[in-house]
Amino acid sequence: MVEKTNLTPEQLALVEAPISGSIFLEGAAGSGKTTVGIHRLLYLLESGVPANEILVIVPQRALEYPFVDALRHADLAPGGQVTVTTFSALAVETVQLFWALAAPLIGFPADKQPTILTLETAQYIMSRIVDPLILEHGYFDAITIDRNRLYSQILDNLNKAAVVGFPYTEVAQRLKDAWLGESAQYRTFDQVQECADRFRRYCLDHSLLDFSLQIEAFNALWGVRQVREHLLTRFAHLIVDNVEEENPRLVDLLVEWLPDADSALILFDAEGGFRSFLGADPQYALTQIRASVDEYVEFTQSFVNSPELDALGNELARVLGQDAVKTTADPRRALAYRDHRFYPEMLNWIADEIRYLVTEEHCEPGEIVVLAPFLSDALRFSLMTRLESIGIPARSHRPSRALREEPAARCLLTLAQLAHPGWALKPTRFDVAYALMLAIGSVESGKTLDLVRAQLLAETAYPDPNSKTGLAPFERLPIDAQERISYVIGERYDALRLWLESYSAALPEPPPPEAEAQKPKRGRKKKVEKTDAPPIPEIELDHFFSLIFGEVLSQIGFGFYGDFEAARVTSNLIDSARSFRRALGDYLPAGKPSGKEYIEMVAGGLIAAQYVRRWNVQAENSVLIAPAYTFLMNNQPTDVQFWLDIGNRGWFERLYQPLTHPYVLSHQWTAGDKWTDEREVEIRRDALYRLMIGLIRRCRGKIYLGLSQLSENGYESQGELLQAIQRMLRRLGREEANGDV
């Protein structure tokens, strides 16, 4: 039996409701909706429902863990498995299973299996299409944006067309119809459309399925009777968590699915909708699904917030023009803050407060989170360095962080270039020094290589023209350099160098340049003995990463030994390189190794695909440093929150997206409307409210406000969040003076 003693009567009533009909449960974060979903799942299994007939859908893979963990620890009868997945994964599985039916419906050859593109591989294909247009025809010369952001925004337009339900060929026209700025932007929108059209044609010609085609293929299959009956028969019981974060296509699917499901439980966060930039439409989900279910239930009690935090949410709602309820608790008791002139002073204060909470208040580091609107590398480094210096474990998470920005990944990519001299990718001396610093020496052994000595080692040992890897033996370095670096470090350096040389020696010789190969030689032709021996295959890059990590870097005395963060990054890098090779090996330039192309792609800053290992951080007892929206999507409450630099306008402003628009390309947009400044301010204010209330709902204890008169970049901080909090405090002060508080 599953323990239900901690459930309220309202929760228990839903958990043990008859196994028939559909229920829509609405409530704020922390009201116990996911708990009901988990116990309902276990109750279905206890009641004899076959596990393989239950489908649990969540917005992203990180949110699968509460359900998966519950199944793992429950005492269940043997049998099939519950399917806990995302809509995207369900679509891919269905398309692959019924590919012979899907292919002709979307214009693919049925006799060739599709290649599923990840975020990384889709950006690579897009770069192959966009880069020539930029170089040869000056496309996108009217805007300033990083290449990887340019690729991702064009892909985002295709994705929104698929999940919202309009033809992708209408993207440019929709953007132009809503545009009120200079007409020169119309040309940029047309260029976006042309790139999207070319990308789609390339995918159709080569059987490549990006996210947009995965959804379109699934939509087509849903209209096929055999496929529809297969899904309806296979999954008779549905549980959907956080449906407000889902796209309109899944909402439409659920509306059609619910009448045929034996039972369904749909969970809706009334104050959610944080994934609107990815196509989520909470209002559409609320109106469509609520009208399609048999029973509607609302939870109003919070199991997370204190009365003071609840009052804080209501007071901020009043300031931001939202519906609010007057409470008797004092919201100021839920806040702590101190004003600072300079940004580093604020960071020092935050580190001191965290130290006090951990050492004096006995707060677990895992119950503390530090949030910012954007997490720059400098901010991440500064905070983590401060916390580590006082013995507080810390971790950070930024999904948009490019692979090349991870220290362990930079080290591995540099070593890969040294190990493959045939690729003619020469790392800089600084990159070599940085890689040696991370690779050689470990904290556990007490022998580390600092950056100064690493630079000395790189300057004296690299490049060596007599070595294939470019690294000279330690014994050939000047004596004074050897003594400064130390012979212990020199011994480990030689071990790494010899491993790289041994690996390089086993590689096949690169073919001569085509011009040299065809050039006639003078004199008598040298007789070439024929051999039937097959050529030595080149070890793939993901195999190289695995080998050097396992045989060298993770060993005692080397930099990755005992470093779980480095192990995680290495694992993600291996997965990324493997996915790239398997997906695009047949589409690379002729004669170009996939490893070389991959390294050049990562050097270009393409964003790393999202790896669930990186999201599964709730078990780590360390302070989490993350962007605010990232923390919200992890959906884990904490005791203490620190809001960094609340005067930063990043809390209020949207990301710069000149090639797409999350609201114009949404289900709620009315054709012919114009995107005005008033609408922009209204949307920003609503988004700020949702962000603030979402953070408050996920806090049990206190919120610390980081105040700095000057921002990280040295500008005066007077953002909307700061102004809202100031207005709230002033009003509370006046009410207290008048005796109202």
Side-chain angles (χ1 to χ4, degrees):
M1 293 292 294
V2 178
E3 183 63 44
K4 304 187 185 73
T5 57
N6 294 327
L7 298 180
T8 66
E10 294 79 11
Q11 289 177 311
L12 188 60
L14 290 180
V15 169
E16 298 183 348
I19 306 177
S20 62
S22 53
I23 302 173
F24 185 88
L25 173 57
E26 179 180 358
S31 60
K33 302 185 303 302
T34 300
T35 300
V36 168
I38 293 171
H39 281 83
R40 177 65 172 178
L41 167 62
L42 300 177
Y43 179 77
L44 292 176
L45 295 171
E46 282 182 353
S47 302
V49 174
N52 58 342
E53 292 185 6
I54 303 175
L55 173 63
V56 180
I57 300 179
V58 294
Q60 63 179 26
R61 292 182 60 192
L63 300 181
E64 296 174 2
Y65 280 101
F67 294 92
V68 173
D69 285 345
L71 292 171
R72 184 181 297 120
H73 293 99
D75 184 16
L76 302 175
Q81 289 187 338
V82 175
T83 300
V84 184
T85 187
T86 63
F87 173 52
S88 174
L90 177 66
V92 171
E93 178 187 339
T94 305
V95 170
Q96 290 179 318
L97 182 62
F98 294 98
W99 179 244
L101 296 175
L105 296 176
I106 57 175
F108 280 79
D111 58 345
K112 184 178 180 180
Q113 285 297 312
T115 297
I116 306 299
L117 296 180
T118 65
L119 172 62
E120 292 169 343
T121 51
Q123 286 191 81
Y124 172 78
I125 294 297
M126 184 63 76
S127 71
R128 295 271 300 271
I129 292 168
V130 174
D131 288 354
L133 296 175
I134 293 176
L135 296 175
E136 298 171 13
H137 303 287
Y139 273 41
F140 306 113
D141 56 355
I143 61 172
T144 302
I145 186 173
D146 292 340
R147 287 287 179 90
N148 59 308
R149 300 294 178 186
L150 188 152
Y151 307 144
S152 63
Q153 289 185 29
I154 299 174
L155 290 169
D156 191 51
N157 289 332
L158 288 165
N159 297 341
K160 283 189 171 60
V163 299
V164 174
F166 63 87
Y168 76 93
T169 53
E170 297 180 2
V171 166
Q173 193 58 51
R174 285 173 175 251
L175 293 174
K176 288 192 287 187
D177 287 346
W179 180 252
L180 279 176
E182 297 181 0
S183 59
Q185 182 70 10
Y186 291 165
R187 176 171 166 265
T188 299
F189 291 148
D190 288 333
Q191 292 169 352
V192 168
Q193 187 69 64
E194 182 177 350
C195 292
D197 294 345
R198 292 192 181 200
F199 177 84
R200 175 58 61 87
R201 287 196 299 270
Y202 188 92
C203 289
L204 293 175
D205 292 341
H206 296 86
S207 295
L208 302 175
L209 279 181
D210 70 313
F211 177 79
S212 65
L213 273 172
Q214 294 165 21
I215 300 303
E216 290 186 16
F218 180 81
N219 291 344
L221 285 173
W222 181 252
V224 178
R225 180 179 57 81
Q226 300 95 315
V227 179
R228 189 178 182 127
E229 290 179 354
H230 164 78
L231 290 172
L232 295 177
T233 304
R234 179 185 175 189
F235 300 118
H237 303 270
L238 301 176
I239 298 176
V240 184
D241 197 9
N242 292 112
V243 73
E244 78 285 346
E245 306 297 343
E246 295 287 3
N247 59 69
R249 179 58 198 123
L250 176 60
V251 173
D252 293 339
L253 177 70
L254 291 174
V255 169
E256 298 178 37
W257 199 325
L258 288 174
D260 295 301
D262 290 349
S263 73
L265 175 62
I266 313 298
L267 308 176
F268 180 87
D269 185 346
E271 297 161 340
F274 310 118
R275 286 161 53 98
S276 296
F277 65 98
L278 293 177
D281 196 331
Q283 186 61 36
Y284 185 71
L286 176 64
T287 55
Q288 294 296 310
I289 299 180
R290 182 172 174 176
S292 305
V293 297
D294 300 320
E295 183 180 358
Y296 169 78
V297 180
E298 183 178 10
F299 281 178
T300 57
Q301 179 183 358
S302 174
F303 296 96
V304 176
N305 281 167
S306 64
E308 291 78 15
L309 281 165
D310 187 56
L312 176 62
N314 281 295
E315 290 299 330
L316 281 176
R318 291 175 59 188
V319 170
L320 295 172
Q322 306 288 332
D323 294 335
V325 178
K326 182 65 177 176
T327 60
T328 57
D330 187 351
R332 292 171 294 188
R333 296 175 61 87
L335 294 176
Y337 51 87
R338 181 182 297 171
D339 193 18
H340 303 91
R341 172 66 175 167
F342 299 106
Y343 201 83
E345 294 175 344
M346 178 191 66
L347 298 183
N348 291 335
W349 174 74
I350 289 173
D352 289 340
E353 291 296 321
I354 292 176
R355 180 193 56 77
Y356 178 82
L357 288 169
V358 173
T359 59
E360 302 297 331
E361 299 292 335
H362 306 292
C363 179
E364 294 292 334
E367 291 296 336
I368 301 173
V369 61
V370 181
L371 305 173
F374 308 109
L375 187 60
S376 67
D377 289 335
L379 173 58
R380 176 178 177 270
F381 176 80
S382 298
L383 266 177
M384 294 193 72
T385 301
R386 282 172 167 82
L387 293 176
E388 290 171 0
S389 67
I390 57 177
I392 306 296
R395 67 193 189 278
S396 70
H397 179 34
R398 193 179 75 192
S400 62
R401 183 177 173 84
L403 273 175
R404 65 177 180 177
E405 297 173 1
E406 298 285 357
R410 288 184 60 182
C411 172
L412 287 165
L413 292 167
T414 300
L415 295 177
Q417 295 176 59
L418 295 174
H420 297 84
W423 291 353
L425 297 175
K426 299 294 185 182
T428 66
R429 188 169 285 171
F430 177 80
D431 286 338
V432 172
Y434 190 76
L436 294 175
M437 180 187 70
L438 294 176
I440 300 174
S442 63
V443 176
E444 286 77 4
S445 66
K447 298 292 183 180
T448 58
L449 179 61
D450 57 81
L451 185 57
V452 174
R453 290 187 297 159
Q455 287 181 314
L456 176 61
L457 180 56
E459 289 172 0
T460 54
Y462 177 82
D464 181 9
N466 299 319
S467 169
K468 289 186 66 175
T469 62
L471 296 175
F474 189 73
E475 63 181 13
R476 285 170 40 191
L477 272 57
I479 296 298
D480 58 338
Q482 294 183 34
E483 293 176 348
R484 287 183 60 189
I485 295 167
S486 85
Y487 293 99
V488 174
I489 294 296
E491 182 180 356
R492 293 172 186 168
Y493 160 77
D494 271 338
L496 174 62
R497 178 186 60 82
L498 290 172
W499 190 94
L500 292 172
E501 289 188 354
S502 175
Y503 174 89
S504 299
L507 296 176
E509 290 293 332
E514 186 177 351
E516 289 293 324
Q518 296 178 356
K519 185 177 179 180
K521 304 294 184 181
R522 292 184 179 179
R524 258 189 337 183
K525 293 182 180 179
K526 183 178 180 180
K527 185 177 180 180
V528 179
E529 295 183 2
K530 294 183 179 180
T531 177
D532 294 330
I536 302 175
E538 183 169 330
I539 297 177
E540 298 295 350
L541 185 60
D542 50 301
H543 298 162
F544 167 81
F545 290 146
S546 180
L547 285 172
I548 194 170
F549 175 84
E551 297 181 4
V552 184
L553 300 179
S554 62
Q555 300 301 309
I556 296 177
F558 289 88
F560 290 11
Y561 176 75
D563 189 339
F564 294 103
E565 176 69 9
R568 179 198 62 77
V569 172
T570 302
S571 182
N572 288 349
L573 191 64
I574 291 171
D575 286 351
S576 174
R578 183 189 299 117
S579 299
F580 181 84
R581 170 173 58 85
R582 290 178 176 176
L584 301 177
D586 296 334
Y587 307 102
L588 300 177
K592 192 169 187 178
S594 63
K596 179 179 181 180
E597 187 74 356
Y598 176 81
I599 288 179
E600 292 178 347
M601 179 195 77
V602 174
L606 296 194
I607 297 174
Q610 183 186 110
Y611 295 94
V612 176
R613 282 186 297 270
R614 193 64 187 100
W615 280 87
N616 188 24
V617 295
Q618 56 267 33
E620 299 180 23
N621 191 21
S622 55
V623 176
L624 174 64
I625 304 171
Y629 279 106
T630 299
F631 170 72
L632 286 176
M633 287 312 304
N634 206 32
N635 204 27
Q636 294 291 326
T638 59
D639 289 345
V640 178
Q641 294 179 9
F642 286 83
W643 297 359
L644 279 180
D645 190 15
I646 62 171
N648 192 318
R649 293 187 62 84
W651 290 99
F652 179 75
E653 294 180 345
R654 293 191 300 116
L655 288 173
Y656 176 57
Q657 293 181 300
L659 307 181
T660 186
H661 201 295
Y663 298 101
V664 171
L665 301 181
S666 72
H667 204 285
Q668 299 294 328
W669 186 254
T670 302
D673 283 1
K674 298 294 184 180
W675 187 257
T676 62
D677 291 340
E678 291 79 8
R679 200 161 209 171
E680 177 72 27
V681 172
E682 178 185 349
I683 288 294
R684 289 182 180 183
R685 185 176 292 114
D686 179 71
L688 177 61
Y689 166 72
R690 289 181 180 273
L691 174 60
M692 294 302 98
I693 201 67
L695 295 177
I696 292 170
R697 295 284 185 252
R698 290 163 176 81
C699 184
R700 302 187 189 95
K702 182 169 286 190
I703 295 174
Y704 289 74
L705 304 178
L707 298 170
S708 173
Q709 296 178 25
L710 299 180
S711 69
E712 183 180 9
N713 298 321
Y715 298 106
E716 188 174 0
S717 295
Q718 286 294 328
E720 283 72 8
L721 174 57
L722 174 60
Q723 295 177 29
I725 291 176
Q726 288 173 335
R727 290 198 301 271
M728 179 192 73
L729 294 175
R730 284 196 297 267
R731 188 181 67 248
L732 290 172
R734 289 194 300 269
E735 292 178 353
E736 184 177 35
N738 296 331
D740 297 332
V741 177

